[in-house]
Amino acid sequence: MAASRPGASLGEVLAEIQAGYRDLGCPEEFENHHQGGLTGYRSREVLATPGEATRLQVGMALAWNPSLPGAKVEDTFLLGEGGLENLTFDPSWPMERVEGRLRPRVYEG
């Protein structure tokens, strides 16, 4: 999420996502599902792929899809000057704070 900032390319954000999977000790999960990208009228207007050069700009909508066996999160965000606004936030879902941002809890713990 923190890598999704104006001026970053989709490929750069994807590299951070891939590093997150490695940090969790499950790098192979990165390959099991597309990780998201720009969204709009289609499910993904531009899919984040390694090296994708599309630069993020204020006003773009992003949908990221982190997943692990038995768990998947699909949120849609609007990129603003001050960062990401979660457009699909559900206050009734159990949440936890991750890097200062409320995120859906996908495990009991």
Side-chain angles (χ1 to χ4, degrees):
M1 302 280 120
S4 299
R5 60 189 178 284
S9 74
L10 284 175
E12 292 166 346
V13 176
L14 190 65
E16 291 294 318
I17 291 170
Q18 189 171 25
Y21 280 96
R22 281 194 309 270
D23 291 348
L24 288 172
C26 45
E28 70 286 351
E29 290 301 326
F30 175 81
E31 301 294 336
N32 289 335
H33 189 272
H34 77 79
Q35 300 302 309
L38 300 181
T39 191
Y41 292 105
R42 295 183 299 178
S43 64
R44 298 299 173 272
E45 298 291 328
V46 180
L47 195 61
T49 57
E52 172 56 54
T54 301
R55 296 274 169 197
L56 300 182
Q57 299 176 28
V58 169
M60 286 182 162
L62 303 158
W64 296 120
N65 314 81
S67 61
L68 292 170
K72 181 176 170 191
V73 177
E74 290 204 23
D75 279 331
T76 301
F77 299 90
L78 181 62
L79 183 58
E81 291 287 344
L84 296 174
E85 176 188 354
N86 189 335
L87 301 177
T88 52
F89 181 79
D90 181 352
S92 64
W93 191 270
M95 296 283 176
E96 63 184 279
R97 195 164 293 280
V98 178
E99 297 180 356
R101 180 179 284 115
L102 284 175
R103 300 298 297 136
R105 179 174 292 165
V106 293
Y107 65 91
E108 288 299 318

